Amino acid sequence: MHRRTAARTRARACAVAALTAAALLATGQPATAAPPADTADPMNRAFAEAAREYGVPRDLLAAVGYGESRLDGHAGTPSQANGYGVMHLASNPANHSLEKAAELTGRSAATLRRNTAANILGGAAVLRDHADALGLDASERRDLDAWYPAVARYSEAEKTAAVLYADAVYTFLAQGVSATVAGGEEVLVPSRPVDPDKGEFSAFDAHVLSTDYPSALWVPAYSGNYVVGRKAAVDKVVIHTTQGSYAGSISWYQNPSAKVSAHYTIRSSDGEVTQSVREKDTAWHAGSTNSSSVGIEHEGYVDNPAWYTEAMYRSSAALTKHLAARYGIPKNRSHIIGHSEAPGATHTDPGPNWDWNHYMRLIDGDPAPGGDGLTFSSYTTQKSGSTGPQVKAVQTLLTAQGYEAGAADGSFGPTTKSAVQAFQRARSLEADGAVGPKTWTALLSAGTTPALAKGASGDAVKRLQRALTAALGTTVNADGSFGPATETAVRSYQTSRKLSVDGQVGPATWGALQSGT
């Protein structure tokens, strides 16, 4: 381990040190002591005990956890990179921190995934292992600034992405952290001056700018995680949530085994933007929509609204306005869509906590729903002579079920009427050729009939939500996530149709919906 000199430190850390000064002026938070180790609060106690066990500074450990998860373990569910818990212990081809933590602590992988105290202990063990590999002695381990290379290595990212990761942790140390976690417990990291020794990572510049969008940094994805060029003109922007941290997601795009990427990723705390795939190329982010869209990932998790900050909204909106102007993309919800609204999507992001109305106002767009061409706040009767997007939806749904409805041109002519009548006869509905509530309900729910309950997600949930909107005559948000509102709608439908009322969707409820009842 090469010890620092003052000159090397100034050269290596000037950007972070400048940010620290600005943060101290903005926050005015004193560099006071961390909460005592004997606190009764379980997460504070876990950080204190893990720090003591492995000789990792408590505030550094908490800052790493905050950067990874906002100190939310998400009940043991994995990130997109298969990382778990507050400390994001991962198990994927490029990052085996979960297995390493199990080896170092003697705790099982299952315990490390779901138990927050064990997860924090595992994170401390992995950080200490990196510090030992770097040769940090006891004196250096007491120096927060000496841990920068260990933090960068903890990310298991490469070069610039690792620098982005470690810089974020040291920014949290500079600015301070105040987070309210489960049970109302408050976890604090006081602000303090930082001047990290970047060591081996000083050679990597984290401030190369994008040529497509000069406000963005440029950190390229692995070449096997996207396709050079496009097969279609860009006419959409797809909004995503990363299900992971900002730097961690950017690193994931660089992982040859990921098979995913996005054009842009936006940081929660301040709206910083990083581009990873050129706009001229096809990122792998939204299935069949990839070739005709630009994908924007937003740092966070769909179940925690705290990630969707105003800085993020405004930064993302500025980017989307730029893209709309460049490619002539209409600023409406048919062309600015969520991942869950892309045809064939199995993802639920950006989820119910994303404020579409606010976002669409920020881009000076139309907030009306219906980005997938099938979702509407209400379904009106369509018949011969009708025109518009709901006719197009009827034609699309009929074609998907094998009925010859003609081109999906939004014009209800004889061919569409004949297809509607054939569908109605097959469902034992009145074959009048008009698409009213019963036919809408049967059409929208058509398809597979998996058992669904609260917590389910995906296309089947979205079909259910659309069908309930048609059947009940009230809007059920079709976000593909089976939450409390969907459960309430299912119960209302079951009650009105004299079905067993359990809030779950099994054969009887699917049967009623698909018969237009």
Side-chain angles (χ1 to χ4, degrees):
M1 172 69 184
H2 297 288
R3 295 182 181 276
R4 296 180 300 155
T5 65
R8 285 169 60 204
T9 299
R10 283 194 296 272
R12 291 173 175 178
C14 59
V16 175
L19 186 148
T20 301
L24 289 171
L25 287 172
T27 64
Q29 295 177 344
T32 54
D38 62 352
T39 176
D41 293 336
M43 190 172 291
N44 279 304
R45 186 170 64 249
F47 278 122
E49 292 176 352
R52 184 167 55 248
E53 175 77 15
Y54 287 100
V56 179
R58 179 266 181 198
D59 289 353
L60 180 83
L61 188 61
V64 170
Y66 185 77
E68 286 283 17
S69 67
R70 294 300 189 269
L71 308 183
D72 182 349
H74 302 284
T77 58
S79 72
Q80 67 165 335
N82 207 42
Y84 295 86
V86 166
M87 301 303 295
H88 195 253
L89 297 176
S91 179
N92 66 55
N95 186 344
H96 299 284
S97 56
L98 178 65
E99 291 83 359
K100 175 59 73 173
E103 175 189 338
L104 294 169
T105 65
R107 307 295 179 91
S108 70
T111 299
L112 290 165
R113 285 195 294 263
R114 300 192 65 86
N115 182 282
T116 294
N119 187 270
I120 291 171
L121 190 73
V126 173
L127 274 167
R128 174 59 185 272
D129 189 62
H130 287 305
D132 289 346
L134 288 161
L136 269 66
D137 61 25
S139 174
E140 289 167 325
R141 291 198 302 272
R142 289 192 290 271
D143 179 3
L144 276 172
D145 291 330
W147 282 83
Y148 186 100
V151 171
R153 288 190 178 190
Y154 185 89
S155 72
E156 294 293 347
E158 296 289 333
K159 301 178 181 178
T160 306
V163 170
L164 280 177
Y165 181 94
D167 279 356
V169 171
Y170 277 81
T171 297
F172 292 133
L173 289 168
Q175 294 178 330
V177 169
S178 176
T180 301
V181 300
E185 177 184 1
E186 187 175 22
V187 177
L188 298 174
V189 173
S191 64
R192 84 286 313 283
V194 296
D195 190 16
D197 179 0
K198 294 192 173 185
E200 65 192 281
F201 295 95
S202 61
F204 304 113
D205 187 359
H207 298 90
V208 175
L209 298 180
S210 158
T211 55
D212 284 342
Y213 187 59
S215 299
L217 303 177
W218 170 245
V219 182
Y222 171 66
S223 60
N225 287 339
Y226 66 92
V227 174
V228 174
R230 289 184 180 270
K231 294 181 180 179
V234 173
D235 65 359
K236 296 180 191 69
V237 173
V238 181
I239 302 298
H240 300 263
T241 300
T242 58
Q243 293 298 100
S245 70
Y246 173 70
S249 298
I250 293 165
S251 173
W252 187 234
Y253 311 148
Q254 296 180 321
N255 187 326
S257 65
K259 305 305 179 187
V260 295
S261 59
H263 292 94
Y264 294 96
T265 305
I266 300 183
R267 189 159 65 190
S268 170
S269 59
D270 59 2
E272 182 179 86
V273 184
T274 291
Q275 184 178 13
S276 297
V277 178
R278 298 294 186 198
E279 291 171 17
K280 70 177 182 63
D281 296 328
T282 304
W284 292 347
H285 62 100
S288 63
T289 309
N290 287 340
S291 192
S292 61
S293 65
V294 172
I296 305 178
E297 288 277 7
H298 297 79
E299 181 186 28
Y301 289 79
V302 296
D303 63 352
N304 188 344
W307 291 91
Y308 298 142
T309 63
E310 187 63 15
M312 172 182 279
Y313 276 121
R314 291 186 177 275
S315 176
S316 178
L319 172 57
T320 293
K321 287 178 73 173
H322 168 83
L323 294 169
R326 171 175 287 182
Y327 296 104
I329 300 171
K331 291 185 288 186
N332 58 44
R333 290 285 284 111
S334 292
H335 295 85
I336 313 298
I337 67 173
H339 189 181
S340 63
E341 297 169 320
T346 59
H347 291 240
T348 63
D349 57 305
N353 293 311
W354 179 262
D355 190 340
W356 276 112
N357 288 337
H358 180 52
Y359 189 72
M360 296 304 289
R361 283 193 295 269
L362 288 174
I363 68 169
D364 302 321
D366 179 1
D372 56 12
L374 303 176
T375 302
F376 301 90
S377 57
S378 64
Y379 293 89
T380 58
T381 298
Q382 305 299 311
K383 56 187 179 180
S384 294
S386 296
T387 59
Q390 292 204 10
V391 173
K392 187 174 181 179
V394 168
Q395 293 165 327
T396 300
L397 290 164
L398 286 167
T399 299
Q401 293 303 308
Y403 295 89
E404 297 294 334
D409 58 4
S411 180
F412 201 125
T415 302
T416 300
K417 181 177 179 179
S418 294
V420 170
Q421 288 175 316
F423 177 82
Q424 290 171 326
R425 285 191 290 268
R427 295 302 192 276
S428 299
L429 297 168
E430 181 185 357
D432 59 2
V435 183
K438 292 185 176 182
T439 303
W440 267 124
T441 301
L443 264 176
L444 292 163
S445 61
T448 60
T449 58
L452 300 175
K454 189 175 178 181
S457 62
D459 184 63
V461 175
K462 191 182 292 187
R463 285 190 289 113
L464 167 68
Q465 292 164 328
R466 296 190 198 107
L468 289 170
T469 295
L472 296 173
T474 58
T475 303
V476 178
N477 186 29
D479 60 0
S481 179
F482 198 128
T486 300
E487 183 180 30
T488 298
V490 169
R491 289 180 180 275
S492 296
Y493 177 78
Q494 289 170 331
T495 299
S496 65
R497 271 57 175 185
K498 296 182 170 54
L499 299 168
S500 177
V501 181
D502 58 6
Q504 301 179 26
V505 183
T509 302
W510 274 121
L513 288 166
Q514 294 190 343
S515 65
T517 301

